Amino acid sequence: MTLSGIKIVAKQEFRVRLRTGRWRWLLAAWFVVVAGFAALLRYSLAIVREDSGIAAGNTGIPLFGGVMLFVLALALLVAPALTAQSINGDRERGTLATVQATPLSAWEITLGKFAAAWITGLVFLGLTLPFVVWALFEGGVGPLRALAVLAVVALLIGVICAMAQGLSALFARGITSTLMSYLLVFALTVGTVIVFGLSLSLTMHEKTYTPTSEAASNGIEPYTYQAPQPQYVWWLLAPNPFVVLGDAAPAPPSRINPRTGEEEPIIEMDPLSTIGLLARSTRADQDDYDKDALAASPAVWPYGLGFNVLLGAGALWLSANRLRTPVRGLTRGVRIA
């Protein structure tokens, strides 16, 4: 496997994509949609800022968080389309065998196709940079936080591209691999939340409420109740891309809390911090739950991101394995050239 071989395949993939001509319109549509969302969000923040209590110099915090979550949602819709038919589509058109007959190895073909798709996804992400800069000028968001969040989104785009490419190598028909790619995205985003919620019923633990002396004097007696223990099933929620992004985002700037007198991060109306704290609360021991100490509790994102990266790496291995020649067996109805 050589870098030059990967470049050859990637350049060929770019030529095929540019030849269609529709990518210009897709890039333009992406920019317009993100711009419209950012403008509407900024307008909404201007209306609710007085009631929310967020300072004028920190408007960039909810603006940046909202835009990046929206961009991640769009990326999860676009990324599968970049590679869901990259292998079986070429096989159906009869062009894959021509590439396999060259000295290029299976890994060079796999990584070349993956690199082309990932770079295309990064171009889409690059179109959101003006809105990231806008959030930086609004205040409250530092360059390091912006770079960290962009890096996580870029990595997640690559993971989804790799998974979709693996499905493209696994299934013979492009329509099937495309459908399965979107089902996989649904499973990671919505399915993890559903499974986590349903699994909480399996962790019910009986607790006893002991009233304070003042409550007891008012006639309130001790009682028992069933409470879920999410610290046993938090890992089901970890692979969720939105949980990974929210928990991996560095903490926003701090300020002095007038109630406690301590320095605390500004999390009002910050969707990234809210998601991160909710994710970390699932790992906290519910018997010793301390809301103020959640920011320092164990993180969830390393496990979720690591799982996704391993899944993407496994999909690339599957792609390379399916592209090896000579082929010992073919699925019914699959053409060679």
Side-chain angles (χ1 to χ4, degrees):
M1 183 177 66
T2 62
L3 183 60
S4 60
I6 297 174
K7 288 182 179 179
I8 290 173
V9 178
K11 288 180 180 179
Q12 178 61 24
E13 288 290 312
F14 280 125
R15 292 192 189 99
V16 174
R17 295 176 190 275
L18 293 176
R19 194 179 301 140
T20 60
R22 68 178 183 270
W23 290 102
R24 301 173 187 175
W25 297 105
L26 289 176
L27 292 172
W30 172 283
F31 184 85
V32 170
V33 170
V34 176
F37 176 83
L40 290 175
L41 179 59
R42 180 61 183 85
Y43 178 74
S44 301
L45 291 174
I47 295 177
V48 304
R49 186 170 59 193
E50 295 182 0
D51 298 332
S52 65
I54 187 171
N58 295 322
T59 307
I61 296 178
L63 177 63
F64 175 74
V67 168
M68 294 313 301
L69 288 174
F70 182 72
V71 167
L72 177 59
L74 287 181
L76 293 176
L77 295 176
V78 172
L82 299 176
T83 55
Q85 299 185 30
S86 60
I87 294 177
N88 52 20
D90 287 354
R91 184 178 287 117
E92 290 176 352
R93 290 186 292 269
T95 59
L96 180 62
T98 304
V99 178
Q100 290 177 296
T102 64
L104 294 170
S105 67
W107 272 107
E108 288 172 339
I109 300 173
T110 297
L111 295 181
K113 288 180 174 291
F114 168 70
W118 194 8
I119 293 174
T120 304
L122 294 180
V123 171
F124 280 93
L125 181 61
L127 292 177
T128 65
L129 291 179
F131 311 106
V132 174
V133 175
W134 182 9
L136 293 177
F137 278 110
E138 290 285 353
V141 180
L144 293 178
R145 188 175 200 239
L147 290 175
V149 172
L150 287 172
V152 174
V153 175
L155 191 56
L156 289 173
I157 291 175
V159 167
I160 298 299
C161 287
M163 293 179 184
Q165 181 170 308
L167 293 173
S168 176
L170 181 62
F171 295 99
R173 303 303 176 199
I175 185 63
T176 305
S177 59
T178 301
L179 177 61
M180 294 303 297
S181 297
Y182 283 107
L183 285 177
L184 179 60
V185 171
F186 178 84
L188 288 175
T189 54
V190 180
T192 52
V193 177
I194 294 176
V195 173
F196 172 77
L198 294 177
S199 64
L200 288 178
S201 61
L202 303 176
T203 66
M204 289 296 182
H205 179 70
E206 187 177 275
K207 290 187 176 182
T208 301
Y209 171 75
T210 303
T212 61
S213 56
E214 181 179 355
S217 62
N218 292 329
I220 299 179
E221 300 180 354
Y223 61 89
T224 59
Y225 63 98
Q226 297 288 330
Q229 303 294 304
Q231 68 269 25
Y232 298 124
V233 292
W234 63 269
W235 49 273
L236 293 172
L237 200 61
N240 190 299
F242 295 99
V243 172
V244 171
L245 181 62
D247 194 35
S254 300
R255 67 179 178 186
I256 301 299
N257 190 329
R259 292 179 301 175
T260 62
E262 298 180 356
E263 192 174 283
E264 298 178 358
I266 303 173
I267 61 174
E268 288 86 352
M269 295 183 66
D270 181 15
L272 294 178
S273 297
T274 302
I275 294 175
L277 292 177
L278 288 175
R280 297 193 179 197
S281 67
T282 61
R283 291 196 66 184
D285 190 349
Q286 302 303 302
D287 294 329
D288 301 321
Y289 187 82
D290 185 4
K291 183 179 180 180
D292 296 329
L294 282 179
S297 59
V300 173
W301 71 267
Y303 301 92
L305 187 59
F307 174 82
N308 288 333
V309 169
L310 289 177
L311 196 59
L316 291 178
W317 175 85
L318 176 63
S319 300
N321 188 61
R322 300 278 290 186
L323 287 173
R324 285 197 178 98
T325 53
V327 179
R328 291 185 174 86
L330 289 173
T331 306
R332 182 186 297 273
V334 174
R335 60 186 293 178
I336 297 178

